[in-house]
Amino acid sequence: MEELGVAVVGFGWMGRVHTRAYARLPHHYPRLPLRPRLIAVAEEVPGRAEEAAEQFGFATATRDWREVAADPRVRAVSVIAPNFLHRRTGVAMAEAGKHLWIEKPVGLSAEDARAVADAAARAGVQGTVGFDYRNAPAVERARALIAAGEIGTVTHVRIRLFSDYAAHPDSALTWRYERARGGSGVLGDLASHGADLARFLLGDITALIADTAVFVPERARPAGATAGHPLGGGERPVENEDHVGCLPRFASGARGVLEACRVSVGDQNAYGFEVHGTSGAVFWDFRRMNELAVGRGAAVQDQPACTVHVGLGDGEFAAFQPGAADAMGYDDLLVIEAHRFLRSIAEGTPYGATLTDAVRGAVVLDAMAESAASGNWVDL
């Protein structure tokens, strides 16, 4: 068993999830030839890196990610910094010969994502991207059903990503609401997952038209650099999108609806899809992550859908549970992602979502922004 020195850059909530995923890998994938060792954690918020090192056992704590890039003990890095730092950090880590597990959307634009992908290709390092939801065994089963023609020829898909994390008008104006640091708002936060799921399930998008809106136009200054609570007074404009609605056309001829909103009062992580074909349909809701609703058969009209629980033959389910209807959780999706990242390193072959997927997804997001600005269809 070979040890692989890993580091985590950015230690907010998602940094903790990555760290827990590394720690759990030997439990779920004991035959993986690489065993992660937590070498370094970097976080600019004073004291947070030291707390992470004490809690999780990192050998080194720093406020400067450049020290991670220069550390010869580190061979692989999770980059979980704010969006505007993805390009700078990702390129530097690749150029230092570190394999990358980087969170979406990999920068503020397709140009940023492409720069990171190109740097990784030049350096010959692996690049895994945090498109978590494609790792759900139910989503992988849905993809297999669609590919096998179980619902006939796909006619249309609806993908939704609704959340209320930004719904409160009194929440603070953090970096997520600034275009220079957060990019395209809900497009990068949530629609990036929708674009990836669309491609993962149905293939390439060839054209689209989109509309965006800001529903909470001003927010108060934050109390600290990463604080979500307001300082009070001095309200500033929200610079990026709260909502996006998009009509994509697929190379297959299928049509779609993709909608994402970060201010959806009454919805928490309401993510999912509905795919319809000429002889059936398949439905998935993240809040019931381990189930699919599937309708198929010869009836077509008045055809019922039944609930299917994922089981041992679906995706990576067998690494976590012994039988169908035993539930997996969100953190498990990150363990799957970590496994695919380390397997890519061990075998020199990419597994799971890659930087190429990030670039293609970012092209879709850029097209959405362009269409929303012009009011026109955009060809990809």
Side-chain angles (χ1 to χ4, degrees), residues 101-229:
W101 180 10
I102 188 167
E103 275 303 315
K104 55 82 202 165
V106 191
L108 304 178
S109 64
E111 180 184 356
D112 284 356
R114 195 172 287 111
V116 178
D118 289 347
R122 287 193 302 270
V125 298
Q126 296 295 323
T128 292
V129 179
F131 290 126
D132 317 318
Y133 304 109
R134 64 155 64 190
N135 298 321
V139 174
E140 297 199 80
R141 179 164 181 169
R143 187 190 193 211
L145 288 172
I146 293 165
E150 294 285 338
I151 63 170
T153 301
V154 173
T155 54
H156 59 285
V157 59
R158 179 182 294 271
I159 299 173
R160 71 188 184 284
L161 297 110
F162 297 156
S163 180
D164 65 355
Y165 69 84
H168 202 298
D170 293 334
S171 59
L173 187 87
T174 66
W175 62 268
R176 290 188 179 276
Y177 306 104
E178 298 176 359
R179 195 163 294 278
R181 296 196 295 166
S184 55
V186 76
L187 275 71
D189 276 359
L190 295 180
S192 56
H193 284 298
D196 183 68
L197 283 173
R199 288 188 55 253
F200 186 68
L201 294 169
L202 302 186
D204 286 334
I205 295 170
T206 57
L208 60 80
I209 190 168
D211 180 50
T212 62
V214 177
F215 296 132
V216 183
E218 292 185 333
R219 295 180 186 272
R221 292 180 297 133
T226 61
H229 53 277

Side-chain angles (χ1 to χ4, degrees), residues 273-297:
F273 55 75
E274 305 158 12
V275 184
H276 294 265
T278 53
S279 62
V282 59
F283 313 94
W284 180 71
D285 188 320
F286 169 67
R287 295 165 298 182
R288 303 182 71 89
M289 192 179 83
N290 304 289
E291 300 176 11
L292 286 176
V294 181
R296 54 187 166 177

